[in-house]
Short mmCIF file of all heavy atoms in Angstrom, two decimals:
data_model
loop_
_atom_site.label_atom_id
_atom_site.label_comp_id
_atom_site.label_asym_id
_atom_site.label_seq_id
_atom_site.Cartn_x
_atom_site.Cartn_y
_atom_site.Cartn_z
N GLY A 1494 84.20 56.24 245.13
CA GLY A 1494 84.74 57.50 244.80
C GLY A 1494 86.08 57.24 244.18
O GLY A 1494 86.65 56.24 244.21
N LEU A 1495 86.60 58.34 243.59
CA LEU A 1495 88.02 58.31 242.97
C LEU A 1495 89.00 59.10 243.73
O LEU A 1495 88.51 60.22 244.17
CB LEU A 1495 87.81 58.70 241.49
CG LEU A 1495 87.70 60.13 241.09
CD1 LEU A 1495 89.03 60.85 241.02
CD2 LEU A 1495 86.88 60.29 239.89
N SER A 1496 90.13 58.65 243.91
CA SER A 1496 91.25 59.42 244.48
C SER A 1496 90.73 60.05 245.85
O SER A 1496 90.35 59.27 246.77
CB SER A 1496 91.70 60.51 243.56
OG SER A 1496 92.91 61.06 244.02
N MET A 1497 90.76 61.40 246.08
CA MET A 1497 90.12 61.92 247.29
C MET A 1497 88.81 61.37 247.61
O MET A 1497 88.54 61.15 248.80
CB MET A 1497 90.05 63.48 247.08
CG MET A 1497 89.54 64.16 248.37
SD MET A 1497 89.20 65.94 248.11
CE MET A 1497 87.51 65.88 247.38
N GLY A 1498 88.00 61.19 246.60
CA GLY A 1498 86.65 60.65 246.83
C GLY A 1498 86.68 59.21 247.29
O GLY A 1498 85.86 58.77 248.09
N ALA A 1499 87.77 58.43 246.97
CA ALA A 1499 87.84 57.11 247.39
C ALA A 1499 88.24 57.07 248.96
O ALA A 1499 87.64 56.31 249.74
CB ALA A 1499 88.99 56.36 246.64
N ASN A 1500 89.10 57.91 249.31
CA ASN A 1500 89.55 58.18 250.68
C ASN A 1500 88.23 58.57 251.54
O ASN A 1500 87.95 57.92 252.51
CB ASN A 1500 90.67 59.23 250.65
CG ASN A 1500 91.16 59.58 251.98
OD1 ASN A 1500 90.55 59.28 253.04
ND2 ASN A 1500 92.44 60.03 252.10
N GLN A 1501 87.58 59.68 251.04
CA GLN A 1501 86.38 60.15 251.76
C GLN A 1501 85.27 59.02 251.99
O GLN A 1501 84.81 58.79 253.02
CB GLN A 1501 85.73 61.20 250.91
CG GLN A 1501 86.33 62.54 251.02
CD GLN A 1501 85.42 63.54 250.23
OE1 GLN A 1501 85.02 63.31 249.15
NE2 GLN A 1501 85.12 64.70 250.88
N THR A 1502 85.02 58.35 250.85
CA THR A 1502 83.88 57.47 250.90
C THR A 1502 84.29 56.15 251.64
O THR A 1502 83.40 55.52 252.21
CB THR A 1502 83.51 57.03 249.45
OG1 THR A 1502 84.54 56.58 248.66
CG2 THR A 1502 82.80 58.28 248.79
N MET A 1503 85.53 55.78 251.66
CA MET A 1503 85.96 54.60 252.50
C MET A 1503 85.71 54.95 253.96
O MET A 1503 85.23 54.15 254.76
CB MET A 1503 87.37 54.39 252.30
CG MET A 1503 87.90 53.12 253.05
SD MET A 1503 89.66 52.74 252.80
CE MET A 1503 89.45 51.91 251.25
N ARG A 1504 86.06 56.22 254.36
CA ARG A 1504 85.73 56.58 255.75
C ARG A 1504 84.21 56.55 256.04
O ARG A 1504 83.74 56.11 257.14
CB ARG A 1504 86.28 57.97 256.10
CG ARG A 1504 87.89 57.90 256.12
CD ARG A 1504 88.40 59.34 256.00
NE ARG A 1504 89.85 59.33 255.68
CZ ARG A 1504 90.80 59.30 256.67
NH1 ARG A 1504 90.48 59.43 257.90
NH2 ARG A 1504 92.07 59.18 256.36
N ILE A 1505 83.56 57.07 255.16
CA ILE A 1505 82.03 57.15 255.26
C ILE A 1505 81.44 55.75 255.41
O ILE A 1505 80.54 55.51 256.21
CB ILE A 1505 81.44 58.12 254.26
CG1 ILE A 1505 81.90 59.51 254.31
CG2 ILE A 1505 79.89 57.92 254.19
CD1 ILE A 1505 81.46 60.42 253.15
N MET A 1506 81.96 54.93 254.47
CA MET A 1506 81.45 53.51 254.49
C MET A 1506 81.66 52.85 255.90
O MET A 1506 80.75 52.25 256.37
CB MET A 1506 82.26 52.76 253.42
CG MET A 1506 82.00 51.35 253.33
SD MET A 1506 80.44 50.88 252.55
CE MET A 1506 80.48 49.13 252.74
N MET A 1507 82.86 53.05 256.33
CA MET A 1507 83.27 52.25 257.59
C MET A 1507 82.51 52.89 258.78
O MET A 1507 82.20 52.22 259.82
CB MET A 1507 84.80 52.27 257.78
CG MET A 1507 85.48 51.66 256.65
SD MET A 1507 84.95 49.95 256.17
CE MET A 1507 85.40 48.97 257.63
N ASN A 1508 82.26 54.15 258.71
CA ASN A 1508 81.47 54.83 259.79
C ASN A 1508 79.97 54.47 259.70
O ASN A 1508 79.21 54.79 260.70
CB ASN A 1508 81.59 56.35 259.74
CG ASN A 1508 82.96 56.75 260.20
OD1 ASN A 1508 83.69 55.99 260.83
ND2 ASN A 1508 83.40 57.99 259.80
N ASN A 1509 79.53 53.98 258.60
CA ASN A 1509 78.07 53.92 258.35
C ASN A 1509 77.70 52.58 257.72
O ASN A 1509 77.01 52.53 256.62
CB ASN A 1509 77.62 55.07 257.51
CG ASN A 1509 77.84 56.43 258.16
OD1 ASN A 1509 77.08 56.79 258.99
ND2 ASN A 1509 78.91 57.04 257.85
N LEU A 1510 78.15 51.46 258.34
CA LEU A 1510 77.81 50.16 257.73
C LEU A 1510 76.40 49.80 257.83
O LEU A 1510 75.91 48.84 257.18
CB LEU A 1510 78.72 49.02 258.35
CG LEU A 1510 80.19 49.18 258.03
CD1 LEU A 1510 81.05 48.12 258.82
CD2 LEU A 1510 80.42 48.96 256.50
N ASP A 1511 75.62 50.56 258.58
CA ASP A 1511 74.09 50.36 258.56
C ASP A 1511 73.47 51.09 257.38
O ASP A 1511 72.28 50.84 257.12
CB ASP A 1511 73.53 50.85 259.88
CG ASP A 1511 74.03 49.96 260.99
OD1 ASP A 1511 74.40 48.75 260.71
OD2 ASP A 1511 73.93 50.40 262.19
N THR A 1512 74.30 51.97 256.67
CA THR A 1512 73.63 52.75 255.61
C THR A 1512 74.10 52.15 254.22
O THR A 1512 73.29 52.17 253.29
CB THR A 1512 74.13 54.17 255.70
OG1 THR A 1512 73.70 54.65 257.06
CG2 THR A 1512 73.56 55.02 254.62
N PHE A 1513 75.39 51.65 254.17
CA PHE A 1513 75.88 51.15 252.83
C PHE A 1513 76.38 49.70 253.02
O PHE A 1513 76.91 49.35 254.09
CB PHE A 1513 77.04 51.97 252.44
CG PHE A 1513 76.88 53.42 252.36
CD1 PHE A 1513 77.21 54.38 253.41
CD2 PHE A 1513 76.21 54.00 251.27
CE1 PHE A 1513 76.92 55.66 253.30
CE2 PHE A 1513 75.93 55.33 251.15
CZ PHE A 1513 76.39 56.19 252.22
N SER A 1514 76.28 48.98 252.00
CA SER A 1514 76.78 47.58 252.05
C SER A 1514 77.82 47.28 250.89
O SER A 1514 78.33 46.17 250.74
CB SER A 1514 75.72 46.55 252.04
OG SER A 1514 74.87 46.60 250.94
N TYR A 1515 77.97 48.24 250.00
CA TYR A 1515 78.90 48.07 248.84
C TYR A 1515 79.82 49.27 248.84
O TYR A 1515 79.46 50.50 248.95
CB TYR A 1515 78.19 48.12 247.49
CG TYR A 1515 77.16 47.04 247.27
CD1 TYR A 1515 75.82 47.12 247.76
CD2 TYR A 1515 77.43 45.79 246.61
CE1 TYR A 1515 74.92 46.08 247.64
CE2 TYR A 1515 76.53 44.75 246.46
CZ TYR A 1515 75.30 44.98 246.95
OH TYR A 1515 74.33 44.00 246.74
N TYR A 1516 81.16 48.99 248.56
CA TYR A 1516 82.06 50.12 248.52
C TYR A 1516 83.01 49.87 247.34
O TYR A 1516 83.54 48.79 247.05
CB TYR A 1516 83.07 50.09 249.82
CG TYR A 1516 84.15 51.03 249.64
CD1 TYR A 1516 83.92 52.41 249.67
CD2 TYR A 1516 85.45 50.53 249.37
CE1 TYR A 1516 85.06 53.34 249.51
CE2 TYR A 1516 86.52 51.39 249.11
CZ TYR A 1516 86.26 52.82 249.17
OH TYR A 1516 87.32 53.64 248.90
N GLY A 1517 83.28 51.06 246.65
CA GLY A 1517 84.31 51.08 245.60
C GLY A 1517 85.31 52.19 245.75
O GLY A 1517 84.93 53.36 245.92
N GLY A 1518 86.56 51.82 245.81
CA GLY A 1518 87.64 52.77 245.88
C GLY A 1518 88.51 52.79 244.65
O GLY A 1518 89.18 51.83 244.46
N PHE A 1519 88.42 53.87 243.86
CA PHE A 1519 89.14 53.99 242.64
C PHE A 1519 90.34 54.79 242.85
O PHE A 1519 90.29 56.03 243.12
CB PHE A 1519 88.25 54.58 241.46
CG PHE A 1519 86.85 54.00 241.41
CD1 PHE A 1519 85.81 54.69 240.73
CD2 PHE A 1519 86.59 52.74 241.85
CE1 PHE A 1519 84.61 54.15 240.57
CE2 PHE A 1519 85.24 52.19 241.82
CZ PHE A 1519 84.30 52.97 241.12
N SER A 1520 91.50 54.25 242.68
CA SER A 1520 92.80 55.01 242.84
C SER A 1520 92.81 55.75 244.14
O SER A 1520 93.30 56.95 244.22
CB SER A 1520 92.96 56.00 241.74
OG SER A 1520 92.94 55.44 240.41
N GLY A 1521 92.48 55.12 245.23
CA GLY A 1521 92.65 55.78 246.49
C GLY A 1521 92.16 54.90 247.67
O GLY A 1521 91.26 54.11 247.47
N THR A 1522 92.67 55.19 248.77
CA THR A 1522 92.28 54.36 250.02
C THR A 1522 92.52 55.42 251.23
O THR A 1522 93.14 56.46 251.01
CB THR A 1522 93.19 53.13 250.28
OG1 THR A 1522 94.60 53.42 249.95
CG2 THR A 1522 92.75 52.02 249.35
N ALA A 1523 91.93 55.08 252.39
CA ALA A 1523 91.90 56.00 253.52
C ALA A 1523 93.19 56.23 254.21
O ALA A 1523 93.44 57.14 254.96
CB ALA A 1523 90.80 55.58 254.46
N ASN A 1524 94.17 55.44 253.87
CA ASN A 1524 95.58 55.60 254.40
C ASN A 1524 96.43 56.58 253.63
O ASN A 1524 97.51 56.91 253.94
CB ASN A 1524 96.37 54.26 254.52
CG ASN A 1524 96.48 53.55 253.17
OD1 ASN A 1524 95.46 53.53 252.42
ND2 ASN A 1524 97.54 53.01 252.88
#
Side-chain angles (χ1 to χ4, degrees):
Chain A
L1495 74 89
S1496 194
M1497 178 189 85
N1500 184 334
Q1501 278 185 312
T1502 54
M1503 182 179 280
R1504 291 163 192 269
I1505 294 172
M1506 172 78 182
M1507 299 312 288
N1508 289 339
N1509 300 279
L1510 289 174
D1511 291 338
T1512 302
F1513 305 100
S1514 60
Y1515 299 82
Y1516 170 75
F1519 311 161
S1520 303
T1522 42
N1524 56 319

